């Protein structure tokens, strides 16, 4: 794929070589993310960050990534404070906002909305999550994290063994990650969810027709024993018809240190797209895992900046110029990875 000027809406746009290229560019962003160097390569460019659903990590890390490349960020958050609340169509919003921005990131509660918006946009649009459909930049940072976490034990993405746990029906991160895994070989996927929140058949079929092994279960402890990665997710309560319905599923699959010690292989890596739901009735990843060196959730969140910097650099076609416009930072930064 030639990234310059393209929208990034779905994992289906990518081939394996594109993923390898994104990861290579993300690696080259490390000195900038660590503030060892700064770059002005996107000086004068404006990111329109349009988030019509709650977001912390995705919104702030897209913004931080753009700032770290030297660009500026303009934001709209929530329906109430935007003209969409006055009945403006996605088409009109896209025509207008793309006049103010050089690239747009958008999150919206409706499946397909970001693609519809992109059609009317005059600048590239990156999907920050469209309803329960997809979250491509999250899947990229998830897979980048998996690759880096497994590297120390000499494992590769081909042959990966992963358990995806929780709300697999509404969780857009696991939908995009499943599509992404289809680009690799011989992956073993253990899907753990209540039956009502099972992974939609479409994704299971795609995984199987890519030659992967997929097992489905509603039992946590028997599903996490032979995996490299445990990928836990939150019950997506905002997608249920009522909070009471979501209550039925919250807290079903809780991983804590004693379950981890008893059932997981010693080096199993624990991931979660975050936010983890830390309320007592949910608590899918207990805080007693915080000192576990295999808890990768914060490294995973940090990697979001690298992946999003890579996407901006590729879409705005400045990958080869980042160094040229770079310089040392002048302030103290004791930042480490
Ligand atoms: C996820 C999302 O919004 O889909 N969060 C994120 O972007 N890191 C997962 C979630 O909200 O549970």
């Amino acid at each position: 794929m030639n990234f310059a000027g393209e929208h990034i809406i779905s994992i289906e746009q990518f081939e394996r070589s594109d993923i390898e290229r994104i990861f290579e560019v993300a690696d080259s962003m490390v000195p900038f993310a660590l503030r060892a160097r700064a770059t002005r390569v996107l000086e004068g460019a404006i990111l329109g960050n349009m988030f019509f659903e709650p977001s912390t990590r995705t919104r702030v890390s897209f913004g931080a990534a753009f700032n770290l490349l030297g660009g500026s960020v303009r934001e709209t958050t929530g329906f109430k404070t935007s003209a969409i609340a006055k009945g403006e169509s996605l088409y009109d919003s896209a025509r207008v906002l793309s006049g103010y921005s050089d690239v747009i990131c958008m999150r919206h509660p409706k499946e397909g909305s970001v693609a519809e918006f992109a059609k009317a946009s005059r600048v590239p649009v990156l999907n920050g999550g469209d309803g329960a459909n997809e979250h491509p930049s999250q899947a990229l940072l998830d897979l980048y994290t998996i690759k880096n976490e497994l590297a120390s034990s000499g494992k590769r993405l081909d042959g990966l063994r992963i358990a995806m746990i929780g709300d697999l029906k509404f969780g857009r991160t696991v939908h995009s990650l499943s599509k992404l895994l289809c680009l690799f070989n011989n992956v073993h996927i253990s899907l753990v969810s209540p039956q009502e929140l099972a992974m939609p058949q479409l994704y299971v079929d795609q995984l199987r027709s890519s030659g992967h092994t997929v097992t489905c279960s509603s039992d946590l402890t028997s599903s996490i024993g032979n995996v490299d990665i445990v990928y836990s997710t939150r019950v997506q309560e905002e997608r249920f018809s009522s909070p009471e319905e979501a209550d039925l599923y919250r807290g079903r699959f809780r991983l804590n240190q004693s379950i981890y010690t008893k059932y997981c292989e010693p080096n199993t890596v624990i991931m979660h797209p975050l936010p983890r739901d830390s309320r007592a009735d949910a608590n899918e990843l207990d805080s007693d895992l915080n000192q576990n060196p295999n808890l990768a959730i914060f490294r995973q969140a940090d990697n979001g900046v690298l992946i999003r910097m890579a996407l901006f650099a590729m879409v705005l076609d400045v990958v080869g110029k980042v160094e040229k416009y770079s310089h040392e930072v002048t302030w103290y930064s004791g930042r480490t990875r």
Side-chain angles (χ1 to χ4, degrees):
M1 162 175 175
N2 177 15
F3 284 81
E6 290 295 324
H7 304 303
I8 296 184
I9 306 295
S10 167
I11 291 296
E12 282 180 14
Q13 293 170 251
F14 300 128
E15 290 174 16
R16 181 168 175 155
S17 57
D18 299 323
I19 307 305
E20 281 157 7
R21 178 81 184 120
I22 294 169
F23 289 179
E24 204 181 300
V25 178
D27 287 342
S28 74
M29 297 298 172
V30 170
F32 304 98
L34 290 181
R35 279 63 157 177
R37 292 192 70 72
T39 179
R40 286 196 288 255
V41 72
L42 289 185
E43 191 169 30
I46 295 177
L47 163 68
N49 228 1
M50 307 291 148
F51 278 72
F52 301 114
E53 262 196 337
S55 175
T56 304
R57 266 148 295 273
T58 307
R59 182 172 59 82
V60 177
S61 67
F62 264 125
F66 207 73
N67 287 150
L68 285 167
L69 289 167
S72 308
V73 183
R74 288 282 168 273
E75 295 202 321
T76 294
T77 50
F79 274 113
K80 286 197 190 110
T81 50
S82 89
I84 292 188
K86 299 181 185 172
E88 186 168 58
S89 66
L90 285 171
Y91 177 88
D92 286 5
S93 294
R95 293 291 300 176
V96 172
L97 293 169
S98 57
Y100 303 156
S101 318
D102 299 283
V103 58
I104 293 175
C105 292
M106 187 173 173
R107 169 173 287 187
H108 193 283
K110 193 168 152 247
E111 290 79 29
S113 54
V114 181
E116 187 185 332
F117 181 94
K119 270 195 200 131
S121 170
R122 292 170 279 168
V123 299
V125 175
L126 311 191
N127 184 358
D130 61 324
N133 184 33
E134 276 220 48
H135 194 346
S137 66
Q138 179 72 43
L140 291 167
L141 78 88
D142 288 342
L143 197 69
Y144 181 73
T145 304
I146 294 172
K147 174 178 163 278
N148 289 348
E149 295 287 326
L150 294 190
S152 54
S153 46
K155 293 179 185 158
R156 305 182 59 238
L157 292 173
D158 293 321
L160 173 72
R161 302 167 303 157
I162 181 170
M164 296 186 197
I165 301 159
D167 182 353
L168 308 182
K169 178 180 180 191
F170 294 121
R172 55 192 169 199
T173 70
V174 286
H175 298 166
S176 286
L177 185 56
S178 296
K179 286 190 176 181
L180 193 48
L181 291 174
C182 291
L183 299 176
F184 293 81
N185 299 323
N186 193 26
V187 178
H188 298 258
I189 304 115
S190 167
L191 300 173
V192 188
S193 70
Q195 243 166 29
E196 300 85 339
L197 301 183
M199 180 72 92
Q201 196 58 39
L202 161 86
Y203 299 103
V204 178
D205 291 345
Q206 277 180 348
L207 286 165
R208 290 204 170 118
S209 54
S210 307
H212 300 334
T213 312
V214 184
T215 57
C216 304
S217 161
S218 302
D219 182 57
L220 179 70
T221 54
S222 63
S223 308
I224 55 175
N226 298 301
V227 296
D228 306 304
I229 305 286
V230 167
Y231 187 102
S232 170
T233 64
R234 176 183 69 90
V235 172
Q236 307 283 293
E237 59 185 29
E238 62 275 37
R239 314 249 176 259
F240 286 81
S241 43
S242 70
E244 294 73 36
E245 198 193 340
D247 288 345
L248 297 174
Y249 305 107
R250 237 193 296 273
R252 267 298 172 94
F253 304 111
R254 294 180 183 192
L255 186 62
N256 58 26
Q257 186 57 49
S258 74
I259 294 176
Y260 179 89
T261 308
K262 191 159 176 205
Y263 296 99
C264 292
E265 292 175 356
N267 287 324
T268 302
V269 176
I270 307 162
M271 294 177 60
H272 191 301
L274 301 181
R276 55 177 157 168
D277 188 342
S278 297
R279 289 171 288 191
D281 62 341
N283 218 16
E284 66 265 6
L285 275 190
D286 200 291
S287 58
D288 73 356
L289 290 160
N290 285 359
Q291 304 313 318
N292 184 325
N294 295 310
L295 184 76
I297 56 176
F298 301 119
R299 296 191 286 276
Q300 184 183 357
D302 281 352
N303 286 337
V305 171
L306 297 174
I307 288 293
R308 290 170 176 134
M309 288 178 83
L311 294 177
F312 287 133
M314 294 168 86
V315 163
L316 295 175
D317 203 13
V318 293
V319 174
K321 299 184 191 138
V322 174
E323 283 294 334
K324 182 173 166 205
Y325 291 92
S326 76
H327 56 90
E328 281 180 8
V329 295
T330 48
W331 68 90
Y332 169 73
S333 168
R335 191 179 287 268
T336 53
R337 287 190 90 184

